Amino acid sequence: MNRLLTFSTFSLVLLLGTYLALAQQAPQSKAPLPMTFFVTSIPIGNGGNLGGLAGADAHCQALATAAGAGDHTWHAYMSTQPQGDQPAVNARDRIGQGPWYNAKGEMIARDLATLHGDTLGLARLGNNITKLTALTEKGDIAPGLNDNPDPKDRTWAYASTHPNSNRHEMLTGSQTDGRAYTDHNDHTCSNWTSNVAGHEQDLRNNPGPAAQIGLSDRNGGGKGSWNSSHGTRGCSQEDLAFSHGVGLFYCFAIN
């Protein structure tokens, strides 16, 4: 009987030790990574006049703060062009070094090179900005191409009262490498200070006021580039709506 009791006790201790060892080896659930990237849920509403880069950054910061992420410093992903004695500013130079995560903790890109596809290999791999991951600070998907087929969504009057209307165009003023344009055309609505109306129908060869945009759902003209697809018709709020945008843009935490 003593031998049986001793054997049973030993077996119990052995099983308990094995259970504890396995429990320690089991993967522990991790807290979601903090949001360091989002698409603005609402526009400033004054066309391409965002109050310059400072105004765009302030909009990012305000939305992030409302979403509980105000402990980061936020910058808009936007370039500006040389103007007077002011040099160009490249969007890629003002958003930190990464990595960046959306509102659900999904990685968008680990660094600047991955974000922009700086090498052939990285370009083929691509970043993780898609319709399902380019979320707003609230964790919502920005409605994309063909989500709302109503032709009236090309007007600001319609888009402003229908939050599910197509709004996949993101203001960037940038080339695909994240740098500013060097030609003499306006790709940034006068460095984000102009809401002047335009009338150009050729969005890729617009010599007048315009803003270069990217497509958050990667669906549309310009090979569906996330940051440099085509220009807008002009810089008014109505012009932005004409080509399926409302004046949204990308925000990145720089720290």
Side-chain angles (χ1 to χ4, degrees):
M1 174 66 79
N2 289 339
R3 289 183 178 178
L4 180 60
L5 181 60
T6 301
F7 178 77
S8 299
T9 302
F10 174 77
S11 299
L12 181 61
V13 171
L14 181 62
L15 287 172
L16 181 60
T18 302
Y19 171 79
L20 290 175
L22 290 174
Q24 290 174 354
Q25 294 175 9
Q28 302 297 312
S29 59
K30 296 181 179 180
L33 292 164
M35 178 180 69
T36 49
F37 161 88
F38 65 87
V39 168
T40 56
S41 60
I42 56 174
I44 290 177
N46 193 19
N49 184 357
L50 311 177
L53 288 177
D57 290 347
H59 190 56
C60 288
Q61 195 72 47
L63 294 178
T65 299
D71 53 333
H72 294 294
T73 299
W74 293 85
H75 279 180
Y77 181 89
M78 289 181 178
S79 296
T80 59
Q81 298 172 261
Q83 197 171 78
D85 60 352
Q86 297 298 315
V89 174
N90 301 319
R92 66 179 293 148
D93 295 337
R94 59 189 322 272
I95 60 170
Q97 300 299 317
W100 299 281
Y101 301 90
N102 67 11
K104 292 186 176 180
E106 300 167 304
M107 182 184 286
I108 295 301
R110 67 173 183 264
D111 52 33
L112 288 169
T114 305
L115 182 65
H116 294 97
D118 285 349
T119 66
L120 181 59
L122 290 174
R124 287 174 174 170
L125 180 64
N127 61 40
N128 191 33
I129 293 180
T130 69
K131 178 180 177 178
L132 299 181
T133 61
L135 305 177
T136 71
E137 77 282 358
K138 298 177 180 180
D140 298 327
I141 295 174
L145 193 65
N146 301 321
D147 283 354
N148 181 30
D150 194 325
K152 290 184 292 186
D153 77 354
R154 285 180 175 269
T155 68
W156 175 235
Y158 182 88
S160 63
T161 57
H162 292 76
N164 291 324
S165 64
N166 186 353
R167 50 195 65 209
H168 68 161
E169 292 188 357
M170 302 292 135
L171 301 173
T172 70
S174 304
Q175 302 183 78
T176 55
D177 62 1
R179 294 184 171 89
Y181 279 86
T182 58
D183 60 21
H184 296 293
N185 287 345
D186 183 7
H187 300 276
T188 62
C189 288
S190 193
N191 288 343
W192 314 113
T193 63
S194 172
N195 62 1
V196 64
H199 306 284
E200 180 62 49
Q201 303 301 311
D202 185 354
L203 303 182
R204 289 174 182 78
N205 299 286
N206 185 357
Q212 188 74 1
I213 60 90
L215 304 173
S216 61
D217 61 352
R218 294 180 180 266
N219 190 6
K223 298 182 179 179
S225 171
W226 72 276
N227 68 339
S228 190
S229 181
H230 59 74
T232 58
R233 183 177 67 172
C235 293
S236 70
Q237 191 67 28
E238 195 66 34
D239 288 327
L240 302 186
F242 175 78
S243 53
H244 289 137
V246 295
L248 305 183
F249 45 89
Y250 302 114
C251 298
F252 287 78
I254 69 171
N255 59 352

